[in-house]
Amino acid sequence: MVVRLIKPVLAPVLRLQAKRLRKVALEMPEPEGLRSGLIDHPTSTSAPLSILIVGDSCAAGVGAPTQQEALASRIARILATRLGRHVQWHLIAQTGLTSHGLRDLLRESPLPHADVAIVIIGVNDISNDCPLPLALRRREEIVRLLVARSRVCRVVFPALPEVERFPLLPQPLAWYGGFTARQNNALQLRWATHPRRSHLISHLPMHGLMHPSLMAADGFHPSPPLYEKTAQRIAEHIETLILPMGVS
């Protein structure tokens, strides 16, 4: 209620700050390297677990110099160790995507088979002021695409981090970004835990990982150490999903 009253007052300042940031923000490239691979485990005798990572610039690994130091391949390596099995991984991601844009990219892309999909999306929804109910409808469509074409058994949606702690963002834009990120997380949690979806979708809290010192030079994307911490949490969550499912 308070935010609804304050936002019209702050709107001109928020727009001005957002416009200025787009002009001065350091543009970092997506890291070089393969976007798919197989992580072998020496003692595994079962078929590889297949994971598909899709999403925006954080899924793509912006802030890391190579894909080996970014998110997707780290998740696969950690899972191979934790599960004691081979892990096949694929990455489909692009800087700047909203939930709508990711849905369109997946529609146009050949999708590999995957047991589990990880969807990294949402920051661009809030930075583009996309209504969150509409963003969730697009995420529902993303899930349907992944189930129909990749045959996934589970889809993991990590929550947004503490956006208010991004070094790039000035006040009050940082405050508003953090508030909207928390709104996104609350609505996504309620959406994911609905009885019609909870067997397929999980919302993964990501609080407690972000620290300004762990951000890349642009002050907006993770550095390799933060990607490592993020990959650890995602891999731990996937392990809790896979073991009861008995995916083999």
Side-chain angles (χ1 to χ4, degrees), residues 121-232:
I121 204 71
V123 168
N124 294 309
D125 289 327
I126 66 173
S127 66
N128 286 278
D129 214 17
C130 175
L132 293 177
L134 177 59
L136 286 173
R137 288 199 291 274
R138 296 296 175 259
R139 292 173 206 174
E140 184 87 43
E141 293 168 358
I142 288 168
V143 171
R144 290 175 187 164
L145 275 169
L146 293 170
V147 170
R149 293 176 51 201
S150 288
R151 305 295 180 186
V152 296
C153 300
R154 294 289 298 202
V155 185
V156 178
F157 283 83
L160 296 183
E162 298 94 331
V163 171
E164 66 273 15
R165 304 191 75 189
F166 286 9
L168 177 68
L169 302 182
Q171 295 294 355
L173 187 61
W175 167 81
Y176 182 71
F179 169 79
T180 313
R182 290 189 295 275
Q183 270 195 321
N184 171 90
N185 294 343
L187 289 174
Q188 182 171 274
L189 173 62
R190 188 166 64 187
W191 168 73
T193 54
H194 191 283
R196 290 183 306 188
R197 305 182 188 93
S198 58
H199 68 287
L200 175 63
I201 300 170
S202 62
H203 167 89
L204 173 58
M206 300 300 289
H207 56 270
L209 299 181
M210 224 295 291
H211 190 276
S213 66
L214 295 175
M215 299 297 280
D218 66 353
F220 193 80
H221 290 94
S223 67
L226 184 51
Y227 277 127
E228 175 68 19
K229 294 176 67 173
T230 303
Q232 288 280 358

Side-chain angles (χ1 to χ4, degrees), residues 28-55:
M28 302 188 74
E30 295 179 4
E32 297 182 356
L34 297 176
R35 294 199 169 200
S36 64
L38 176 65
I39 308 298
D40 285 315
H41 191 278
T43 64
S44 177
T45 58
S46 59
L49 174 72
S50 181
I51 63 171
L52 173 62
I53 302 92
V54 303

Side-chain angles (χ1 to χ4, degrees), residues 48-113:
L49 174 72
S50 181
I51 63 171
L52 173 62
I53 302 92
V54 303
D56 56 21
S57 56
C58 288
V62 172
T66 68
Q67 284 296 336
Q68 287 296 304
E69 298 166 271
L71 185 64
S73 66
R74 286 182 188 268
I75 296 172
R77 290 197 299 273
I78 295 167
L79 276 174
T81 299
R82 293 184 70 94
L83 297 173
R85 63 186 294 185
H86 311 309
V87 177
Q88 177 76 52
W89 64 278
H90 296 272
L91 170 64
I92 301 173
Q94 184 177 304
T95 296
L97 290 183
T98 60
S99 294
H100 184 103
L102 178 58
R103 181 206 61 180
D104 290 349
L105 177 65
L106 295 178
R107 280 178 172 175
E108 299 164 1
S109 303
L111 300 184
H113 166 78

